[in-house]
Amino acid sequence: MSAVLFDRLVVIGAGLIGSSIARAVREKELATTVVVADRDAAVCARVRELGFAHEVTEDLAAAATGADLVIACVPVGASRAVAEQVGPCLKPGAILSDVGSVKGAVVEAMAPFVPAHAHLVPAHPVAGTEFSGPDAGFASLFENRWCIVTPPEGADEQAVDRLSGLWRAMGANVELMSAHHHDLVLAITSHVPHLIAYNIVGTAAELEETLASEVIKFSAGGFRDFTRIASSDPTMWRDVFLYNRDAVLEMLGRFTEDLTALQRAIRYGDGDALFDHFTRTRAIRRSIIELGQETAAPDFGRRAAGKPRHEQS
Ligand code: NAP
């Protein structure tokens, strides 16, 4: 049985992540009152219909007033505007957190609006799908997924522990690291792979048009998976690249060098180099499966499991 961890818990932004948090907290009874605030009246109406919040409002500031925990679940570029609205309403001891896929820029954007009597504890659940909005969320999204908590220097330990406890209670494994380190790690594990997907699908679509080819019609497994990733939310991903620019450019530089090496191996018929490379990468997939972050089932186990498709972000 779970214990109530927060009295008034506020989720701002009823999208995939926000609605999943609200559903998980409600289902596991981790807060006495679950409040969902969204700027869009139509989204608020849909959240009322779906029934996963005790209170629903369009007024972000009113929602945050008296809250014990406020979690901003909005695109990274909107974190500043949200902090500006809710910051002045935070009561002594309240925690302001977020779920953004970039951490350095979010801390910079939000910190100036957090009063000295409240605590900023940013976090990033490494779990998601390519779908958006309040209907896309589900309570088990975070189960056995990582949640990376990035406390700013000097953060209140008790606040960090309380937020980490909430993520654990929602089923996540919690890891603490600096925002800078998070942004570098996620650049290579998530941001660059998404950019590659956006790029390859764009190239194929253009080929289809200019060569009247049948690239899309005959798309095989590899390409199909890229199209799934490349259908992820444009606003979210635009912000990821705008706000994690340095780390993404650093990792893209390394990626390009390695791609050139593979290109050379193909040009000069260096089968040994290609074979060695593919053997090394195959072992990496095995270790991810051993760590329980993926299943060995074909098609990434997504359809086989009959569950919503997962993509770590
Ligand atoms: P989503 O389903 O598109 O939901 C975004 C929410 O943010 C919507 O409720 C939207 O409100 C709200 N919003 C957008 N701009 C806003 C603004 N300027 N002011 C106030 N609210 C605003 O997105 P999501 O997938 O839940 O992503 C939310 C955050 O989670 C992002 O920072 C993303 O980086 C992070 N994240 C995403 C994933 C993933 O796989 N999707 C995984 C981990 C973390 P409306 O309803 O009015 O449009």
Side-chain angles (χ1 to χ4, degrees), residues 194-210:
H194 272 79
L195 196 68
I196 293 167
Y198 282 121
N199 188 49
I200 200 165
V201 173
T203 305
E206 206 175 302
L207 267 180
E208 175 102 358
E209 239 171 66
T210 54

Side-chain angles (χ1 to χ4, degrees), residues 9-15 17-19 35-39 57 59-61 63-64 69-75 78 82-83 85-86 96-97 99:
L9 185 151
V10 180
V11 166
I12 297 196
I17 303 294
S19 72
V35 184
V36 169
D38 197 288
R39 60 178 183 170
T57 175
D59 188 338
L60 276 48
L69 171 63
V70 178
I71 311 179
C73 302
V74 298
V82 167
Q85 286 176 73
V86 305
L96 176 63
S97 188
V99 294

Side-chain angles (χ1 to χ4, degrees), residues 12-19 37-44 60 72-79 81-82 85 98-103 106 123-134 136 141-142 194 232-233 235-237 239-240 311-313:
I12 297 196
L16 166 75
I17 303 294
S19 72
D38 197 288
R39 60 178 183 170
D40 186 331
V43 171
C44 287
L60 276 48
C73 302
V74 298
V76 169
S79 358
V82 167
Q85 286 176 73
D98 81 311
V99 294
S101 307
V102 177
K103 299 278 46 115
V106 165
H124 173 208
V126 190
T129 75
E130 65 275 31
F131 301 111
S132 309
L141 177 61
F142 311 112
H194 272 79
S232 299
D233 188 65
T235 307
M236 167 187 160
W237 284 97
D239 284 5
V240 165
E311 177 55 32
Q312 301 196 344
S313 300

